[in-house]
Amino acid sequence: MIEVVPTRSGDAGAQLRLRPPRALTARQFRALFAALAGAMWLVAGLGWLAGNAFAPAFALLHSAGVALALRCLWRSGEHGEEIAIGPSAVDVRRGADVVFSAHPHWVRVHVGRDDGRVTLSSSGRRVEVGAFLGPAERSQLARCLKEFLAAEAGRNR
């Protein structure tokens, strides 16, 4: 998902926030876990009634494992990138780390012909941006970056 963040009044430049697409909301994700855990406990209860004394313990361990897996999956979707294009610098952040910084006049946007990968380059340094986006979103990202960089290069002349 590409989100253009409005800049503060009077600030020149643009800021893009990139996040991986999600199929479920947080509420739907909790409902999914509740449905899976409920089905596990129902089967474990039937197993316990049939004489399997270990079924509830297995259901407890299995519920904890599924909860941990779903939590890790949800947290992996929280990772994203932030691209700030200002009059003096283009910064690409992943989390709290700045992985790329250069003057906007020298930054070039490259789009891979085969795979559609979007990279920013300047002074021999390259960084891929939006790797987690789909092909249509990557082409949209490339268009946005080219627009914003052209606008900043025009301001810096």
Side-chain angles (χ1 to χ4, degrees):
M1 183 169 104
I2 302 170
E3 180 182 1
V4 179
V5 180
T7 57
R8 290 172 274 165
S9 62
D11 287 351
Q15 188 170 355
L16 298 171
R17 196 174 290 151
L18 310 176
R19 292 183 299 195
R22 286 194 168 158
L24 300 175
T25 64
R27 186 178 200 171
Q28 292 169 334
F29 223 67
R30 286 190 293 271
L32 172 67
F33 173 71
L36 291 173
M40 282 185 282
W41 281 98
L42 178 67
V43 171
L46 293 174
W48 182 72
L49 288 175
N52 184 353
F54 296 109
F58 176 75
L60 179 66
L61 288 174
H62 196 258
S63 295
V66 169
L68 181 65
L70 288 175
R71 179 163 172 76
C72 289
L73 180 65
W74 184 261
R75 289 182 57 96
S76 73
E78 290 176 351
H79 299 293
E81 296 173 341
E82 215 170 271
I83 304 169
I85 302 170
S88 61
V90 173
D91 293 328
V92 178
R93 294 180 189 277
R94 292 188 180 131
D97 301 329
V98 176
V99 295
F100 181 82
S101 185
H103 193 277
H105 185 72
W106 302 111
V107 175
R108 300 292 177 251
V109 178
H110 302 279
V111 181
R113 292 182 188 195
D114 298 335
D115 52 5
R117 298 167 107 190
V118 179
T119 57
L120 296 175
S121 64
S122 177
S123 303
R125 294 183 27 225
R126 278 195 134 150
V127 66
E128 182 181 0
V129 292
F132 46 80
L133 299 174
E137 287 180 315
R138 281 191 211 154
S139 63
Q140 179 187 357
L141 173 64
R143 282 192 308 273
C144 285
L145 287 172
K146 287 177 183 178
E147 256 179 55
F148 291 139
L149 286 170
E152 282 305 319
R155 281 190 205 134
N156 287 326
R157 290 187 188 253

